[in-house]
Amino acid sequence: MFSGALHLFILSRRTILTSHINLPPLRVIFCSIGSFRFIQSHLIRATRDISTQGKGIQGAGHRFRGSRRRLVSPKKTLIMSRRAHTSAGPSKEKKSGEPRPSASVVLLSPENQVLLLHRVQTSSSFPSAHVFPGGNLSDFHDGGVPGPSEFKRHDDSLPYRLGAIRETFEESGILLAREGGRDRNPVNISNSERDKARKEIHKNERRFVEWLQDMGGVADTENLLPFTRWITPLNMPRRFTTQMYLYMLPLSTGNDPVISAARSEAMIPTPDGGVEITAARFDYASKWLEKQRKGEIVMFPPQCFLLHILSQFLVGPPPGSPSLSESIAYYHAQREKLKEFLSTAPTATEPKAVKHHTAQIPWAQKVISPTTLGIRKSDKRSILGLDKPGPELKGSDRGGDWERVVLVKFTKGVAKDVEVRSREEVLEEERHMEITANESKL
């Protein structure tokens, strides 16, 4: 689950989740970016305290061998999963280092706010991190996916969609399901039935789909919109291939008590009986990013990156004092622009980025496996490239986002100062600093 893992990053409170692991400090030794070189000794000192664990990015890096310009594969990066369900065959994946299938949901409220789950400071692992709901797929609940050697393992499919909806229900109590009849209204269940089902499903005492059928409903898989996939780089203790989805709650949600509670700061005990307590809250994407910039909350690169994309379309409440119908029309227009964006190519706007092949991959199809491009001299933050799809998809036509990079500093497993920037702008800044430094020596 994202709480147990992504992710070099964390995408959910149940993902790097899959197990509460402590990752070793990440050693990053870099060489050069474009036409400029990094001083090796400087980089070694700058990266000594870079490390990640649990639900966040675990970092990514290259190692020198022989020539300083010779780069070898990335050493560490994303993770996306948190708690694991019992399923067939996971032990083989752990031995081989194959990424484990997981899924996560970026959930929008009727006001186009985004749901994040907050783990409290006293949590036994990943304290205080804000993550999207999600987690590992379960053969028992969701069905199987193609084997590790197949490209289709990393494609959107029904098991990923079922897993995303199930995990969201287990972690937050929000059920993304509709009645099976013609009207397809949202399924409404009592709080007592909801809490009972979350515990039973979490313990594998009852199949999620069968429980839904007993409730007269079906998982609303058709309204999940694919929104990138993230694959953990090689050489990580645990790896994940995490399908992200966007789900838009109806603009009129009725009186669902869980959704209403999450519009404030709702405390929701996890299925383990409340040992790990989380808070669930909706807020605007720009507000979450502002809180992260101020150091008020902890978020890892995947969350920050996806919230950055959303903030360009979900720009907050309407101005003035609009009527209910005017507000609904306002939020509906935001959603339509966002949905068009997810399916449109090219995805880049900068001239050089438009020429890169990843610009022709719609956001719904992008696969991102972060790689470290270097360390900024000015603030010692890692520069993470997002264009590679990961080793499992080498030779395919998949890819991520070449136009942007993520800047981040890791301190004792915590991501700080996360920022999404233009790749060309960041690398040009580094080139300029290199030239200035060389001139000062003359």
Side-chain angles (χ1 to χ4, degrees):
M1 309 184 165
F2 267 21
S3 294
L6 208 91
H7 302 204
L8 205 146
F9 310 111
I10 318 175
L11 281 195
S12 152
R13 117 178 161 37
R14 285 170 175 264
T15 294
I16 276 190
L17 309 172
T18 298
S19 68
H20 303 297
I21 57 177
N22 292 318
L23 300 177
L26 173 63
R27 294 173 300 165
V28 188
I29 306 179
F30 294 100
C31 51
S32 63
I33 296 180
S35 62
F36 68 92
R37 299 187 176 208
F38 288 90
I39 299 174
Q40 183 173 5
S41 60
H42 172 75
L43 293 176
I44 293 175
R45 292 196 301 271
T47 56
R48 279 177 179 167
D49 62 348
I50 296 179
S51 64
T52 54
Q53 56 182 318
K55 268 180 183 181
I57 292 189
Q58 311 209 0
H62 294 87
R63 174 175 304 210
F64 284 114
R65 291 183 182 175
S67 170
R68 291 183 64 188
R69 280 187 175 276
R70 182 180 177 185
L71 290 176
V72 196
S73 54
K75 189 126 190 182
K76 311 211 175 207
T77 291
L78 279 155
I79 298 183
M80 280 189 188
S81 231
R82 168 189 169 248
R83 169 184 59 74
H85 273 284
T86 301
S87 62
S91 60
K92 292 184 179 180
E93 288 190 1
K94 290 181 179 178
K95 292 180 181 179
S96 66
E98 297 292 343
R100 185 168 187 176
S102 62
S104 189
V105 177
V106 181
L107 186 63
L108 300 189
S109 75
E111 296 80 20
N112 291 345
Q113 296 179 330
V114 181
L115 179 71
L116 290 184
L117 306 180
H118 179 209
R119 304 192 66 151
V120 297
Q121 288 184 332
T122 55
S123 176
S124 61
S125 62
F126 318 124
S128 299
H130 280 72
V131 297
F132 302 120
N136 291 329
L137 269 59
S138 163
D139 287 353
F140 178 77
H141 292 288
D142 314 317
V145 297
S149 63
E150 299 184 46
F151 284 169
K152 289 186 177 181
R153 181 180 183 83
H154 310 285
D155 288 349
D156 170 35
S157 62
L158 182 59
Y160 281 103
R161 291 178 177 240
L162 287 174
I165 290 175
R166 173 181 53 78
E167 286 292 337
T168 297
F169 177 61
E170 290 186 27
E171 291 195 327
S172 71
I174 296 176
L175 181 60
L176 308 181
R178 294 183 177 275
E179 295 175 353
R182 178 178 300 177
D183 293 337
R184 302 280 289 166
N185 295 318
V187 173
N188 289 317
I189 57 177
S190 66
N191 284 338
S192 60
E193 177 61 36
R194 190 191 309 257
D195 293 341
K196 178 183 177 183
R198 290 171 68 194
K199 293 177 182 179
E200 291 178 345
I201 294 167
H202 176 84
K203 295 178 180 178
N204 294 342
E205 296 175 352
R206 198 171 186 184
R207 280 187 168 85
F208 178 60
V209 173
E210 293 177 356
W211 171 77
L212 272 179
Q213 291 174 345
D214 292 343
M215 294 294 103
V218 294
D220 192 15
T221 56
E222 64 188 52
N223 283 316
L224 287 172
L225 304 176
F227 185 28
T228 69
R229 173 180 290 269
W230 297 73
I231 297 181
T232 311
L234 288 172
N235 301 325
M236 293 301 298
R238 290 172 174 81
R239 303 181 62 223
F240 302 87
T241 172
T242 302
Q243 179 64 57
M244 298 298 303
Y245 294 101
L246 184 68
Y247 187 95
M248 304 175 181
L249 289 169
L251 292 171
S252 177
T253 59
N255 298 313
D256 188 307
V258 176
I259 294 175
S260 297
R263 283 166 164 163
S264 58
E265 190 74 15
M267 298 303 296
I268 301 176
T270 57
D272 61 8
V275 175
E276 299 289 348
I277 301 297
T278 62
R281 183 173 183 177
F282 285 105
D283 208 342
Y284 293 107
S286 59
K287 293 293 185 181
W288 287 125
L289 293 172
E290 181 181 0
K291 291 176 182 179
Q292 188 275 146
R293 284 194 295 269
K294 292 180 177 179
E296 297 175 1
I297 64 174
V298 173
M299 287 196 298
F300 286 79
Q303 289 90 340
C304 289
F305 179 78
L306 296 179
L307 288 172
H308 171 82
I309 297 298
L310 292 176
S311 68
Q312 301 173 54
F313 300 91
L314 312 180
V315 295
S321 302
S323 64
L324 177 60
S325 61
E326 290 173 334
S327 293
I328 290 177
Y330 175 83
Y331 292 123
H332 175 74
Q334 289 184 348
R335 293 182 173 192
E336 290 302 304
K337 291 181 180 179
L338 177 57
K339 286 191 285 188
E340 180 181 2
F341 170 80
L342 294 180
S343 60
T344 299
T347 59
T349 58
E350 297 178 358
K352 189 172 181 179
V354 169
K355 296 178 182 179
H356 197 269
H357 74 93
T358 56
Q360 301 305 318
I361 304 173
W363 286 99
Q365 302 296 325
K366 287 185 182 296
V367 181
I368 299 172
S369 184
T371 57
T372 306
L373 303 178
I375 303 294
R376 278 166 59 92
K377 290 185 177 181
S378 59
D379 56 20
K380 307 302 184 290
R381 285 189 290 177
S382 297
I383 306 171
L384 301 179
L386 308 171
D387 55 307
K388 306 299 184 184
E392 283 71 27
L393 291 173
K394 184 177 181 180
S396 72
D397 59 357
R398 308 294 293 276
D401 178 31
W402 188 90
E403 187 172 30
R404 300 167 184 81
V405 295
V406 172
L407 305 179
V408 59
K409 180 182 292 186
F410 292 102
T411 304
K412 296 180 179 179
V414 176
K416 296 183 177 180
D417 302 325
V418 185
E419 183 183 6
V420 180
R421 292 277 306 279
S422 160
R423 182 189 189 110
E424 283 298 285
E425 287 182 1
V426 170
L427 297 189
E428 181 58 34
E429 289 173 359
E430 294 302 308
R431 295 184 187 103
H432 178 72
M433 290 191 66
E434 183 72 15
I435 293 173
T436 302
N438 290 336
E439 290 177 346
S440 65
K441 296 177 183 179
L442 299 178

